[in-house]
Amino acid sequence: MARHSKLQKQVLSLYRQFLRAGQDKPGFIPRIRDEFRENARIKKTDVMHIEYLYRRAQRQLEQLKDVNTKQLGSFSKPEEKS
């Protein structure tokens, strides 16, 4: 079994926290899984980007835990036209 770095362990822990927090909110689990799968493609050596996403996810988790949260918004880059 491969050993995980401290940052990898933190990200896995954050993922589990998201899944627990999203259980009570319909439609959140697939969104959480998709977001983590998309970001799993980031190279392990891109530590600055991973840490940025980790901090951003921590803030999103706090919002998700709020009882008044009904949906998550997202920001995405518009697709470039050819």
Side-chain angles (χ1 to χ4, degrees):
M1 188 165 146
R3 290 183 165 218
H4 295 296
S5 70
K6 181 179 178 184
L7 185 56
Q8 286 173 317
K9 288 178 184 177
Q10 290 173 325
V11 170
L12 290 171
S13 173
L14 185 68
Y15 179 64
R16 286 190 297 271
Q17 290 176 51
F18 261 101
L19 292 177
R20 282 188 211 111
Q23 284 178 339
D24 300 335
K25 301 183 188 254
F28 277 59
I29 298 295
R31 169 85 189 280
I32 291 166
R33 288 187 176 137
D34 290 344
E35 189 80 21
F36 273 84
R37 280 190 188 120
E38 181 69 29
N39 290 324
R41 296 181 185 143
I42 297 170
K43 293 181 182 178
K44 293 178 185 178
T45 56
D46 195 356
V47 177
M48 293 297 285
H49 190 192
I50 295 169
E51 287 179 345
Y52 162 75
L53 291 172
Y54 179 77
R55 287 189 303 273
R56 190 178 91 180
Q58 285 179 314
R59 290 189 299 271
Q60 289 176 331
L61 179 60
E62 291 305 314
Q63 290 176 341
L64 179 60
K65 286 180 178 179
D66 186 352
V67 294
N68 298 317
T69 300
K70 304 280 188 267
Q71 66 185 41
L72 286 177
S74 67
F75 297 101
S76 59
K77 288 191 234 178
E79 291 185 23
E80 294 182 19
K81 296 179 182 176
S82 308

